[in-house]
Amino acid sequence: MEPVVLVDLFDISKHLIAKKDTVVDFKMVHRLMEHGRHLKKTTVPFGETTLFKDFKNIFNEEKYFTIFTPYRINDEILGLARGAELTKEVFEELYNIKEHLPYTFRHMLLVTALIVKLSIDMKDRDYDPVSAVLIGLTHDLGKSRIPKDVLGKDTPLTKSELAILKTHTLLGYLLLCYYLGGSFNEVLDAARDHHEVLDMTGYPRGVGKIGKYTRLITPIDIFDALISERPYRGSSFTIRQALDFLIDQANTGRLDKEVVYHLISYVRKEHPRPGELLPYEKGTKLSRSDTAYGKIIPDA
Ligand SMILES: [Fe+2]
Ligand SMILES: [Fe+2]
């Protein structure tokens, strides 16, 4: 069954681009892409926006101190990110997210720093670190269209609220189609697929065949979501618990094992090579229901 847009979708200038209940089919996506294709694009390097200062500060977060040491690599990440270009409209979206959704903004910057780090380190996979910058910066763009009473809820989400929250992937994808046309395929795919997992139990499509950048971003996304606080989930996981969760997910064929092992190596002070990691000792066993979304309650 084809998905539908659960909210009226507006662009950054408040133009309605898709009405609530519109079916997201090939024709609809094509229409938005045609708009993006013909839009006169003014691109701006990330380093020339005031958001870049926030990005620099992300490396000083206490929880990420070991991960972003040694600093030498951070300079390389910053250098690549400084020159990465996005269009004016997409940066306007990011300014808007910074102002209204600071948790999401911080998360997007953090994911950017980590995905670029992985794309540099996993040389044999031939990643383009500049694409990784763009993917990190835009992957959760759709969160800005999720109603505040769902996104900012400070009590457990209901099943239908979770369903609404999950549409941020599709909304972000549609917005990026509308702004960029088909010229940034990897960016569009990652916005749509960054909650897909290898055993086909992810969303929005539940496909197991996922792009090479999506394989990088999914474990990072979960990792940061678990160790950070959210309005709907008071206490966050420790880094150790988050890694246990990721290892469990990798061992059951949901996440890319190699990416998870890189993350483990970043977290260990001596940064062993991922291939030389000793079997990771199991810590606290987490129940399957303890996900990044916290406990989910039935609809009232
Ligand atoms: Fe997301
Ligand atoms: Fe995310």
Side-chain angles (χ1 to χ4, degrees), residues 176-231:
L176 290 165
C177 288
Y178 177 83
Y179 291 131
L180 303 175
S183 52
F184 291 77
N185 271 335
E186 280 142 350
V187 172
L188 303 182
D189 288 353
R192 182 189 57 198
D193 294 341
H194 68 274
H195 290 280
E196 295 286 0
V197 283
L198 299 168
D199 71 353
M200 301 166 74
T201 57
Y203 65 88
R205 299 181 297 159
V207 289
K209 199 172 170 293
I210 57 178
K212 65 176 189 173
Y213 291 92
T214 307
R215 281 173 169 267
L216 285 189
I217 203 168
T218 312
I220 305 172
D221 195 74
I222 297 172
F223 179 71
D224 187 59
L226 288 176
I227 69 167
S228 313
E229 280 165 25
R230 289 288 187 277

Short mmCIF file of all heavy atoms in Angstrom, two decimals, residues 176-231:
data_model
loop_
_atom_site.label_atom_id
_atom_site.label_comp_id
_atom_site.label_asym_id
_atom_site.label_seq_id
_atom_site.Cartn_x
_atom_site.Cartn_y
_atom_site.Cartn_z
N LEU A 176 12.94 17.61 0.31
CA LEU A 176 14.22 17.66 -0.41
C LEU A 176 14.04 17.44 -1.91
O LEU A 176 14.75 18.04 -2.72
CB LEU A 176 15.22 16.66 0.19
CG LEU A 176 15.71 17.06 1.59
CD1 LEU A 176 16.39 15.87 2.29
CD2 LEU A 176 16.67 18.24 1.53
N CYS A 177 13.06 16.61 -2.29
CA CYS A 177 12.73 16.46 -3.72
C CYS A 177 12.30 17.82 -4.26
O CYS A 177 12.70 18.24 -5.36
CB CYS A 177 11.57 15.49 -3.93
SG CYS A 177 11.99 13.78 -3.65
N TYR A 178 11.50 18.51 -3.49
CA TYR A 178 10.93 19.80 -3.89
C TYR A 178 12.02 20.88 -4.00
O TYR A 178 11.98 21.72 -4.89
CB TYR A 178 9.88 20.18 -2.85
CG TYR A 178 9.22 21.52 -3.02
CD1 TYR A 178 8.14 21.69 -3.88
CD2 TYR A 178 9.66 22.62 -2.28
CE1 TYR A 178 7.52 22.93 -4.01
CE2 TYR A 178 9.04 23.85 -2.40
CZ TYR A 178 7.97 24.00 -3.27
OH TYR A 178 7.37 25.22 -3.39
N TYR A 179 12.99 20.85 -3.11
CA TYR A 179 14.04 21.87 -3.13
C TYR A 179 15.18 21.53 -4.10
O TYR A 179 15.79 22.42 -4.68
CB TYR A 179 14.68 22.03 -1.75
CG TYR A 179 13.78 22.64 -0.71
CD1 TYR A 179 13.63 22.06 0.54
CD2 TYR A 179 13.08 23.82 -0.97
CE1 TYR A 179 12.81 22.62 1.51
CE2 TYR A 179 12.26 24.39 -0.01
CZ TYR A 179 12.13 23.78 1.22
OH TYR A 179 11.31 24.34 2.17
N LEU A 180 15.49 20.25 -4.21
CA LEU A 180 16.73 19.88 -4.91
C LEU A 180 16.51 19.18 -6.25
O LEU A 180 17.46 19.00 -7.01
CB LEU A 180 17.59 18.97 -4.01
CG LEU A 180 17.97 19.54 -2.64
CD1 LEU A 180 18.70 18.49 -1.82
CD2 LEU A 180 18.84 20.79 -2.79
N GLY A 181 15.29 18.76 -6.53
CA GLY A 181 15.07 17.97 -7.74
C GLY A 181 15.76 16.63 -7.55
O GLY A 181 15.93 16.16 -6.42
N GLY A 182 16.17 16.02 -8.64
CA GLY A 182 16.80 14.70 -8.50
C GLY A 182 18.31 14.77 -8.45
O GLY A 182 18.98 13.76 -8.61
N SER A 183 18.85 15.97 -8.21
CA SER A 183 20.30 16.12 -8.37
C SER A 183 21.12 15.65 -7.16
O SER A 183 22.33 15.60 -7.22
CB SER A 183 20.63 17.57 -8.69
OG SER A 183 20.03 18.42 -7.74
N PHE A 184 20.48 15.37 -6.06
CA PHE A 184 21.23 14.91 -4.88
C PHE A 184 20.65 13.57 -4.42
O PHE A 184 20.13 13.46 -3.32
CB PHE A 184 21.11 15.92 -3.74
CG PHE A 184 21.79 17.23 -3.93
CD1 PHE A 184 21.26 18.22 -4.74
CD2 PHE A 184 22.99 17.50 -3.27
CE1 PHE A 184 21.89 19.44 -4.91
CE2 PHE A 184 23.63 18.72 -3.42
CZ PHE A 184 23.08 19.69 -4.25
N ASN A 185 20.72 12.59 -5.30
CA ASN A 185 20.05 11.31 -5.02
C ASN A 185 20.36 10.69 -3.67
O ASN A 185 19.47 10.23 -2.96
CB ASN A 185 20.39 10.30 -6.11
CG ASN A 185 19.40 10.41 -7.24
OD1 ASN A 185 18.27 10.84 -7.03
ND2 ASN A 185 19.82 10.04 -8.44
N GLU A 186 21.66 10.73 -3.31
CA GLU A 186 22.03 10.07 -2.05
C GLU A 186 21.44 10.80 -0.85
O GLU A 186 21.09 10.20 0.17
CB GLU A 186 23.56 10.02 -1.92
CG GLU A 186 24.14 8.89 -2.73
CD GLU A 186 25.44 9.25 -3.40
OE1 GLU A 186 25.81 10.44 -3.39
OE2 GLU A 186 26.08 8.33 -3.93
N VAL A 187 21.32 12.12 -0.99
CA VAL A 187 20.74 12.93 0.09
C VAL A 187 19.25 12.61 0.24
O VAL A 187 18.74 12.42 1.35
CB VAL A 187 20.97 14.44 -0.20
CG1 VAL A 187 20.23 15.32 0.79
CG2 VAL A 187 22.45 14.75 -0.19
N LEU A 188 18.56 12.52 -0.88
CA LEU A 188 17.13 12.20 -0.86
C LEU A 188 16.92 10.81 -0.26
O LEU A 188 16.06 10.61 0.61
CB LEU A 188 16.55 12.21 -2.28
CG LEU A 188 16.70 13.48 -3.11
CD1 LEU A 188 16.02 13.30 -4.47
CD2 LEU A 188 16.12 14.68 -2.40
N ASP A 189 17.71 9.84 -0.72
CA ASP A 189 17.54 8.46 -0.25
C ASP A 189 17.78 8.35 1.25
O ASP A 189 17.06 7.64 1.96
CB ASP A 189 18.51 7.52 -0.98
CG ASP A 189 18.09 7.31 -2.43
OD1 ASP A 189 17.00 7.78 -2.80
OD2 ASP A 189 18.86 6.68 -3.18
N ALA A 190 18.79 9.06 1.74
CA ALA A 190 19.11 8.95 3.18
C ALA A 190 18.01 9.59 4.03
O ALA A 190 17.70 9.08 5.11
CB ALA A 190 20.46 9.58 3.47
N ALA A 191 17.41 10.67 3.54
CA ALA A 191 16.31 11.30 4.30
C ALA A 191 15.14 10.32 4.40
O ALA A 191 14.51 10.17 5.45
CB ALA A 191 15.87 12.59 3.62
N ARG A 192 14.88 9.61 3.31
CA ARG A 192 13.76 8.67 3.30
C ARG A 192 14.08 7.38 4.08
O ARG A 192 13.23 6.84 4.78
CB ARG A 192 13.43 8.30 1.84
CG ARG A 192 12.24 7.37 1.70
CD ARG A 192 12.11 6.90 0.26
NE ARG A 192 13.35 6.24 -0.17
CZ ARG A 192 13.69 6.01 -1.43
NH1 ARG A 192 12.90 6.39 -2.41
NH2 ARG A 192 14.82 5.41 -1.74
N ASP A 193 15.33 6.91 3.96
CA ASP A 193 15.64 5.55 4.41
C ASP A 193 16.44 5.45 5.71
O ASP A 193 16.84 4.35 6.10
CB ASP A 193 16.44 4.82 3.32
CG ASP A 193 15.61 4.60 2.06
OD1 ASP A 193 14.38 4.67 2.15
OD2 ASP A 193 16.21 4.36 0.99
N HIS A 194 16.70 6.56 6.41
CA HIS A 194 17.63 6.44 7.53
C HIS A 194 17.07 5.69 8.73
O HIS A 194 17.76 5.50 9.72
CB HIS A 194 18.19 7.82 7.94
CG HIS A 194 17.19 8.75 8.54
ND1 HIS A 194 16.39 9.57 7.79
CD2 HIS A 194 16.85 8.98 9.83
CE1 HIS A 194 15.61 10.27 8.59
NE2 HIS A 194 15.85 9.93 9.83
N HIS A 195 15.81 5.24 8.65
CA HIS A 195 15.29 4.34 9.70
C HIS A 195 15.00 2.95 9.13
O HIS A 195 14.29 2.17 9.76
CB HIS A 195 14.04 4.93 10.34
CG HIS A 195 14.33 6.14 11.19
ND1 HIS A 195 14.82 6.04 12.48
CD2 HIS A 195 14.23 7.47 10.94
CE1 HIS A 195 15.00 7.26 12.98
NE2 HIS A 195 14.65 8.14 12.05
N GLU A 196 15.53 2.67 7.96
CA GLU A 196 15.41 1.33 7.40
C GLU A 196 16.53 0.46 7.99
O GLU A 196 17.62 0.95 8.25
CB GLU A 196 15.57 1.35 5.87
CG GLU A 196 14.49 2.11 5.12
CD GLU A 196 13.15 1.38 5.06
OE1 GLU A 196 13.07 0.25 5.61
OE2 GLU A 196 12.21 1.94 4.48
N VAL A 197 16.22 -0.81 8.21
CA VAL A 197 17.25 -1.73 8.70
C VAL A 197 17.34 -2.94 7.78
O VAL A 197 16.45 -3.19 6.98
CB VAL A 197 17.00 -2.16 10.17
CG1 VAL A 197 17.39 -1.05 11.14
CG2 VAL A 197 15.57 -2.59 10.38
N LEU A 198 18.46 -3.69 7.93
CA LEU A 198 18.77 -4.72 6.94
C LEU A 198 17.80 -5.90 6.93
O LEU A 198 17.70 -6.61 5.94
CB LEU A 198 20.21 -5.23 7.16
CG LEU A 198 21.29 -4.15 7.00
CD1 LEU A 198 22.63 -4.66 7.53
CD2 LEU A 198 21.42 -3.74 5.54
N ASP A 199 17.09 -6.14 8.04
CA ASP A 199 16.17 -7.29 8.04
C ASP A 199 14.74 -6.90 7.63
O ASP A 199 13.80 -7.64 7.88
CB ASP A 199 16.18 -7.99 9.41
CG ASP A 199 15.51 -7.16 10.50
OD1 ASP A 199 15.15 -5.99 10.23
OD2 ASP A 199 15.33 -7.68 11.61
N MET A 200 14.59 -5.76 7.03
CA MET A 200 13.31 -5.30 6.46
C MET A 200 12.25 -4.97 7.51
O MET A 200 11.06 -4.97 7.21
CB MET A 200 12.75 -6.33 5.47
CG MET A 200 13.70 -6.59 4.32
SD MET A 200 13.31 -8.05 3.36
CE MET A 200 11.91 -7.50 2.46
N THR A 201 12.68 -4.67 8.75
CA THR A 201 11.68 -4.33 9.77
C THR A 201 11.68 -2.82 10.05
O THR A 201 11.04 -2.36 10.99
CB THR A 201 11.95 -5.07 11.10
OG1 THR A 201 13.28 -4.75 11.53
CG2 THR A 201 11.81 -6.58 10.93
N GLY A 202 12.41 -2.06 9.25
CA GLY A 202 12.47 -0.62 9.48
C GLY A 202 11.32 0.11 8.80
O GLY A 202 10.36 -0.50 8.34
N TYR A 203 11.42 1.42 8.74
CA TYR A 203 10.39 2.22 8.06
C TYR A 203 11.07 3.30 7.22
O TYR A 203 12.24 3.57 7.43
CB TYR A 203 9.42 2.81 9.10
CG TYR A 203 10.00 3.83 10.05
CD1 TYR A 203 10.04 5.20 9.72
CD2 TYR A 203 10.52 3.45 11.30
CE1 TYR A 203 10.56 6.13 10.60
CE2 TYR A 203 11.05 4.39 12.17
CZ TYR A 203 11.06 5.73 11.82
OH TYR A 203 11.58 6.66 12.69
N PRO A 204 10.42 3.93 6.27
CA PRO A 204 8.98 3.85 5.98
C PRO A 204 8.58 2.68 5.07
O PRO A 204 7.42 2.32 5.02
CB PRO A 204 8.72 5.18 5.25
CG PRO A 204 10.00 5.50 4.55
CD PRO A 204 11.09 4.98 5.45
N ARG A 205 9.53 2.06 4.37
CA ARG A 205 9.11 1.07 3.37
C ARG A 205 9.34 -0.37 3.82
O ARG A 205 8.80 -1.29 3.23
CB ARG A 205 9.85 1.33 2.05
CG ARG A 205 9.54 2.71 1.45
CD ARG A 205 10.27 2.92 0.14
NE ARG A 205 11.71 2.90 0.30
CZ ARG A 205 12.57 2.66 -0.68
NH1 ARG A 205 12.12 2.41 -1.89
NH2 ARG A 205 13.88 2.68 -0.44
N GLY A 206 10.19 -0.56 4.83
CA GLY A 206 10.49 -1.92 5.25
C GLY A 206 11.25 -2.70 4.19
O GLY A 206 11.00 -3.87 3.96
N VAL A 207 12.22 -2.01 3.55
CA VAL A 207 13.02 -2.69 2.53
C VAL A 207 14.37 -3.08 3.14
O VAL A 207 14.87 -2.40 4.03
CB VAL A 207 13.25 -1.78 1.30
CG1 VAL A 207 11.97 -1.58 0.52
CG2 VAL A 207 13.85 -0.43 1.70
N GLY A 208 14.92 -4.17 2.69
CA GLY A 208 16.21 -4.60 3.22
C GLY A 208 17.37 -4.07 2.39
O GLY A 208 18.50 -4.00 2.85
N LYS A 209 17.08 -3.69 1.17
CA LYS A 209 18.13 -3.21 0.26
C LYS A 209 18.29 -1.71 0.50
O LYS A 209 17.46 -0.92 0.04
CB LYS A 209 17.69 -3.49 -1.18
CG LYS A 209 18.82 -3.48 -2.17
CD LYS A 209 18.31 -3.97 -3.54
CE LYS A 209 19.33 -3.75 -4.64
NZ LYS A 209 19.57 -2.33 -4.93
N ILE A 210 19.30 -1.36 1.26
CA ILE A 210 19.45 0.06 1.58
C ILE A 210 20.80 0.58 1.10
O ILE A 210 21.76 -0.17 0.99
CB ILE A 210 19.25 0.34 3.10
CG1 ILE A 210 20.21 -0.47 3.95
CG2 ILE A 210 17.82 0.07 3.52
CD1 ILE A 210 20.09 -0.20 5.44
N GLY A 211 20.84 1.87 0.79
CA GLY A 211 22.01 2.48 0.18
C GLY A 211 23.23 2.47 1.09
O GLY A 211 23.12 2.28 2.31
N LYS A 212 24.40 2.71 0.51
CA LYS A 212 25.63 2.59 1.30
C LYS A 212 25.75 3.68 2.36
O LYS A 212 26.32 3.46 3.42
CB LYS A 212 26.86 2.55 0.39
CG LYS A 212 27.16 3.79 -0.42
CD LYS A 212 28.48 3.59 -1.16
CE LYS A 212 28.95 4.87 -1.81
NZ LYS A 212 30.28 4.76 -2.40
N TYR A 213 25.17 4.86 2.11
CA TYR A 213 25.22 5.91 3.13
C TYR A 213 24.21 5.63 4.24
O TYR A 213 24.44 5.96 5.40
CB TYR A 213 24.96 7.28 2.51
CG TYR A 213 26.08 7.75 1.63
CD1 TYR A 213 26.08 7.49 0.25
CD2 TYR A 213 27.18 8.43 2.17
CE1 TYR A 213 27.13 7.91 -0.56
CE2 TYR A 213 28.23 8.85 1.37
CZ TYR A 213 28.20 8.58 0.01
OH TYR A 213 29.25 8.99 -0.79
N THR A 214 23.09 5.02 3.86
CA THR A 214 22.08 4.68 4.86
C THR A 214 22.63 3.66 5.85
O THR A 214 22.35 3.71 7.04
CB THR A 214 20.81 4.14 4.16
OG1 THR A 214 20.42 5.09 3.19
CG2 THR A 214 19.69 3.94 5.15
N ARG A 215 23.49 2.75 5.36
CA ARG A 215 24.12 1.78 6.24
C ARG A 215 24.96 2.47 7.31
O ARG A 215 25.14 1.96 8.41
CB ARG A 215 25.06 0.86 5.44
CG ARG A 215 24.33 -0.21 4.70
CD ARG A 215 25.28 -0.95 3.79
NE ARG A 215 24.66 -2.14 3.27
CZ ARG A 215 24.76 -3.33 3.83
NH1 ARG A 215 25.49 -3.52 4.91
NH2 ARG A 215 24.12 -4.36 3.33
N LEU A 216 25.51 3.64 6.96
CA LEU A 216 26.32 4.39 7.93
C LEU A 216 25.45 5.16 8.91
O LEU A 216 25.72 5.21 10.10
CB LEU A 216 27.18 5.45 7.20
CG LEU A 216 28.40 5.06 6.41
CD1 LEU A 216 29.14 6.33 6.01
CD2 LEU A 216 29.32 4.18 7.22
N ILE A 217 24.42 5.77 8.37
CA ILE A 217 23.69 6.72 9.19
C ILE A 217 22.76 6.04 10.20
O ILE A 217 22.57 6.56 11.31
CB ILE A 217 22.91 7.75 8.31
CG1 ILE A 217 22.64 9.02 9.11
CG2 ILE A 217 21.63 7.18 7.75
CD1 ILE A 217 22.14 10.18 8.27
N THR A 218 22.22 4.88 9.87
CA THR A 218 21.24 4.25 10.77
C THR A 218 21.83 3.94 12.15
O THR A 218 21.25 4.35 13.16
CB THR A 218 20.65 2.98 10.12
OG1 THR A 218 20.25 3.33 8.79
CG2 THR A 218 19.45 2.47 10.86
N PRO A 219 23.00 3.25 12.23
CA PRO A 219 23.55 3.00 13.57
C PRO A 219 23.90 4.29 14.33
O PRO A 219 23.67 4.39 15.53
CB PRO A 219 24.82 2.18 13.29
CG PRO A 219 24.65 1.64 11.92
CD PRO A 219 23.83 2.62 11.17
N ILE A 220 24.42 5.29 13.62
CA ILE A 220 24.79 6.55 14.29
C ILE A 220 23.55 7.22 14.84
O ILE A 220 23.53 7.74 15.94
CB ILE A 220 25.41 7.55 13.29
CG1 ILE A 220 26.59 6.97 12.55
CG2 ILE A 220 25.80 8.84 13.97
CD1 ILE A 220 27.07 7.89 11.43
N ASP A 221 22.52 7.22 14.01
CA ASP A 221 21.27 7.86 14.38
C ASP A 221 20.71 7.24 15.66
O ASP A 221 20.31 7.94 16.59
CB ASP A 221 20.28 7.68 13.22
CG ASP A 221 19.10 8.60 13.34
OD1 ASP A 221 19.28 9.80 13.09
OD2 ASP A 221 18.02 8.13 13.73
N ILE A 222 20.71 5.92 15.71
CA ILE A 222 20.21 5.22 16.90
C ILE A 222 21.11 5.53 18.10
O ILE A 222 20.63 5.83 19.19
CB ILE A 222 20.14 3.69 16.66
CG1 ILE A 222 19.15 3.38 15.53
CG2 ILE A 222 19.76 2.95 17.94
CD1 ILE A 222 19.14 1.93 15.08
N PHE A 223 22.41 5.47 17.88
CA PHE A 223 23.37 5.72 18.96
C PHE A 223 23.11 7.08 19.60
O PHE A 223 22.94 7.20 20.82
CB PHE A 223 24.80 5.64 18.41
CG PHE A 223 25.87 5.90 19.44
CD1 PHE A 223 26.12 4.96 20.43
CD2 PHE A 223 26.62 7.06 19.40
CE1 PHE A 223 27.11 5.19 21.39
CE2 PHE A 223 27.60 7.30 20.35
CZ PHE A 223 27.86 6.36 21.34
N ASP A 224 23.05 8.11 18.78
CA ASP A 224 22.86 9.46 19.35
C ASP A 224 21.48 9.59 19.99
O ASP A 224 21.35 10.21 21.05
CB ASP A 224 23.05 10.55 18.29
CG ASP A 224 23.01 11.92 18.94
OD1 ASP A 224 23.84 12.18 19.84
OD2 ASP A 224 22.13 12.73 18.60
N ALA A 225 20.47 8.98 19.36
CA ALA A 225 19.12 9.07 19.94
C ALA A 225 19.09 8.41 21.32
O ALA A 225 18.43 8.90 22.23
CB ALA A 225 18.11 8.41 19.01
N LEU A 226 19.84 7.32 21.47
CA LEU A 226 19.81 6.60 22.75
C LEU A 226 20.55 7.34 23.86
O LEU A 226 20.11 7.35 25.00
CB LEU A 226 20.41 5.20 22.59
CG LEU A 226 19.58 4.17 21.83
CD1 LEU A 226 20.36 2.86 21.68
CD2 LEU A 226 18.25 3.90 22.51
N ILE A 227 21.67 7.95 23.53
CA ILE A 227 22.45 8.58 24.61
C ILE A 227 22.03 10.02 24.88
O ILE A 227 22.51 10.64 25.81
CB ILE A 227 23.99 8.48 24.39
CG1 ILE A 227 24.45 9.34 23.21
CG2 ILE A 227 24.44 7.03 24.22
CD1 ILE A 227 25.97 9.50 23.18
N SER A 228 21.15 10.57 24.05
CA SER A 228 20.71 11.95 24.26
C SER A 228 19.34 11.98 24.92
O SER A 228 18.58 11.02 24.81
CB SER A 228 20.62 12.70 22.94
OG SER A 228 21.77 12.47 22.19
N GLU A 229 19.06 13.08 25.56
CA GLU A 229 17.74 13.20 26.19
C GLU A 229 16.71 13.68 25.18
O GLU A 229 17.03 14.41 24.26
CB GLU A 229 17.82 14.17 27.36
CG GLU A 229 18.40 13.48 28.59
CD GLU A 229 18.83 14.45 29.65
OE1 GLU A 229 18.28 15.56 29.68
OE2 GLU A 229 19.74 14.08 30.43
N ARG A 230 15.50 13.23 25.35
CA ARG A 230 14.39 13.65 24.50
C ARG A 230 13.24 14.08 25.40
O ARG A 230 13.11 13.55 26.51
CB ARG A 230 13.90 12.46 23.64
CG ARG A 230 14.85 12.08 22.54
CD ARG A 230 14.84 13.12 21.43
NE ARG A 230 15.62 12.68 20.29
CZ ARG A 230 16.92 12.82 20.19
NH1 ARG A 230 17.59 13.36 21.17
NH2 ARG A 230 17.54 12.42 19.11
N PRO A 231 12.39 14.97 24.91
CA PRO A 231 11.27 15.40 25.76
C PRO A 231 10.40 14.23 26.21
O PRO A 231 9.88 14.21 27.31
CB PRO A 231 10.46 16.32 24.84
CG PRO A 231 11.39 16.73 23.76
CD PRO A 231 12.38 15.62 23.61
#
